[in-house]
Amino acid sequence: MEVKVVSAITLEILKDLLQLEYQNKYYDIHNDYNCARISYLEKKLFLFLEKIDASASMIILFNQVDLVVFNTYPTKDNGTIDSFYRGRTFMNEALVEETEDEKGYFYLEFYEGQKIEFWAKSLEIQESPK
C-alpha cells in the first residue's frame, strides 16, 4: 500500500484531528484507539496506536519535528488521546500558524493531562491489521 504524506500546513487550523479521513478511510482516534507508545527519533515523532478491540494497530508519523512541550508521565489510563489539532502559537511576540519552512504547530493532549506541542512538516498514517 502506498502511504500518502500530508503536508502539515494543508490541515485546517483548529480542526479536530481525532476523527479524520486519510486515504479514503475514516479513523476515530479518541474512541477506537489507545496510544500504546510515543517515540521521538531523528526529528520524527511516532504515535503507536492500538485499536481498542485489538483488531488493528497504526502509527501516526510526523516528519521534521521540533518538540516544544513534552509533558508526559506513567498513568493507569490506556493512553486515550483527548485533544489533537493543528493550531497557532506565539513566536517572536506574534501569533503564527506556520513557519517559513512550512511547518505546522500541533497540540496533542491525553485524557489524564499529558501533552505534547510541536512543529512538524508533514504526517502520514501506517496501518497494520492484526
Side-chain angles (χ1 to χ4, degrees):
M1 177 176 84
E2 183 178 330
V3 176
K4 177 181 171 190
V5 177
V6 178
S7 170
I9 62 172
T10 63
L11 298 171
E12 186 179 333
I13 290 288
L14 304 178
K15 181 181 180 193
D16 183 3
L17 297 175
L18 290 173
Q19 289 82 34
L20 61 94
E21 188 173 320
Y22 179 83
Q23 290 188 302
N24 299 317
K25 186 165 183 183
Y26 175 78
Y27 296 93
D28 185 342
I29 295 169
H30 176 77
N31 293 306
D32 295 341
Y33 290 86
N34 285 323
C35 186
R37 185 169 47 123
I38 301 168
S39 293
Y40 177 76
L41 179 65
E42 298 178 353
K43 298 194 68 82
K44 293 181 183 216
L45 181 66
F46 300 83
L47 301 177
F48 295 89
L49 305 173
E50 298 284 334
K51 199 153 190 184
I52 292 171
D53 68 6
S55 65
S57 63
M58 72 176 185
I59 299 169
I60 302 177
L61 168 60
F62 294 90
N63 297 297
Q64 297 182 34
V65 171
D66 297 314
L67 288 173
V68 177
V69 174
F70 191 88
N71 179 16
T72 188
Y73 43 86
T75 68
K76 291 185 244 178
D77 187 337
N78 289 327
T80 302
I81 298 174
D82 202 39
S83 179
F84 178 35
Y85 61 94
R86 184 171 86 90
R88 299 178 179 103
T89 190
F90 279 96
M91 195 164 81
N92 301 325
E93 299 184 26
L95 189 61
V96 297
E97 60 186 54
E98 64 185 71
T99 62
E100 289 180 10
D101 58 349
E102 298 183 336
K103 289 184 179 180
Y105 197 79
F106 290 88
Y107 292 86
L108 179 68
E109 295 183 28
F110 291 83
Y111 179 75
E112 289 189 337
Q114 308 92 321
K115 68 179 177 176
I116 304 171
E117 295 178 20
F118 56 96
W119 292 98
K121 179 95 172 188
S122 62
L123 67 97
E124 58 192 79
I125 294 176
Q126 302 167 0
E127 187 176 20
S128 301
K130 287 197 170 185

